[in-house]
Amino acid sequence: VQTKENTFKKMKKILIVNDDGIDAPGLHAIAKELHQQGRFDVRVCAPDREQSGVSHAITVHSALYAEPSILPGLESIIAVRVTGTPADCVRIALRTDVLSGFAPDLIVSGINRGNNAGLNVVYSGTIGGATESVVFGRAGMALSLCHPSSYPSANDNWPYDIAAREAVPIIDEYLLKLEQGKICSATVFNVNFPNVTDASQILGIKCTKQGKSRWVEYFQEDKQKQSGNRR
């Protein structure tokens, strides 16, 4: 990607959401990387806790609460934590004044802990946050870091910093094509980064279609639970 800092006509506004929660390292990594570029106006509106697997759900049977939050080391970024899902966070950010009327050019969801591919994107809160952007006619991008080969292990490595750096030129190219009218604004890209220890191990970028793979789950009965006790 040959995009330069002065390519865009104006500073681009990016809203960051996720499903791992506002304290997740993946969110902090992409927020830091975009902010330090000096050419993006970055805001964060994310769940106050883990919301993986909630898909595109929104909260309808209880109240939503939003409050200012401070990202350690990124105090200059305006951030809000919400007692809801990723899709709730997008709606709160765009339909209330918690971000003072912030109108993002792109909604970035992630960086997720683990890949989002195949049929499992249907269940992903990360994807749900990105696709909620389409509801408001805005561009969305989901970012995920693949599981390490050792997963699950206590020694698992999650190089979010590498994924964040690799995400910047992709975001640049996407925003440029949006500005040029080469991509519809109501478009969502789902980007998965390989889990590597060095960026030189990444051989390039490949655009592909949605696959059909899925995780295989199993259920185990807890026979010690008393009959009729559902909680």
Side-chain angles (χ1 to χ4, degrees):
V1 179
Q2 299 299 321
T3 305
K4 297 181 179 179
E5 293 186 10
N6 61 357
T7 299
F8 301 129
K9 297 177 182 179
K10 59 180 181 179
M11 179 175 283
K12 294 298 184 179
K13 299 178 180 180
I14 297 181
L15 170 67
I16 300 176
V17 302
N18 76 342
D19 74 354
D20 290 328
I22 196 167
D23 298 316
L27 180 145
H28 289 215
I30 189 63
K32 177 181 178 180
E33 189 65 36
L34 291 174
H35 178 66
Q36 68 184 15
Q37 296 293 318
R39 49 196 167 88
F40 299 114
D41 183 358
V42 179
R43 309 288 172 90
V44 172
C45 188
D48 66 341
R49 66 196 68 185
E50 173 80 35
Q51 292 284 342
S52 295
V54 300
S55 187
H56 205 142
I58 58 173
T59 301
V60 294
H61 298 298
S62 60
L64 282 172
Y65 297 91
E67 61 181 3
S69 184
I70 296 177
L71 304 182
L74 299 170
E75 290 81 3
S76 61
I77 295 179
I78 297 175
V80 174
R81 63 174 63 228
V82 177
T83 59
T85 68
D88 284 331
C89 293
V90 174
R91 297 165 71 87
I92 288 289
L94 298 183
R95 297 298 296 272
T96 74
D97 62 356
V98 297
L99 292 179
S100 304
F102 186 70
D105 298 291
L106 175 66
I107 296 173
V108 171
S109 186
I111 299 171
N112 188 62
R113 184 179 184 271
N115 68 300
N116 276 299
L119 297 178
N120 292 291
V121 299
V122 175
Y123 308 107
S124 169
T126 300
I127 302 296
T131 54
E132 181 66 15
S133 65
V134 175
V135 176
F136 294 92
R138 300 185 184 277
M141 182 178 291
L143 305 177
S144 302
L145 177 61
C146 292
H147 298 86
S149 58
S150 60
Y151 183 83
S153 167
N155 298 320
D156 284 344
N157 183 46
W158 296 95
Y160 293 108
D161 56 334
I162 294 177
R165 288 195 298 272
E166 295 299 312
V168 173
I170 298 175
I171 291 172
D172 275 337
E173 185 75 3
Y174 189 31
L175 287 171
L176 181 60
K177 290 188 181 299
L178 281 171
E179 194 171 78
Q180 296 171 340
K182 296 180 179 180
I183 295 179
C184 172
S185 60
T187 300
V188 175
F189 274 18
N190 178 27
V191 185
N192 288 277
F193 298 95
N195 193 305
V196 297
T197 56
D198 192 294
S200 64
Q201 296 174 270
I202 299 177
L203 303 181
I205 301 171
K206 183 176 183 179
C207 291
T208 184
K209 61 182 180 180
Q210 191 64 50
K212 296 182 180 180
S213 62
R214 58 169 293 177
W215 291 97
V216 177
E217 302 89 0
Y218 68 92
F219 297 88
Q220 182 174 346
E221 181 182 1
D222 185 351
K223 296 183 179 180
Q224 294 182 350
K225 284 279 187 180
Q226 292 183 3
S227 177
N229 183 4
R230 298 178 60 186
R231 297 186 183 276

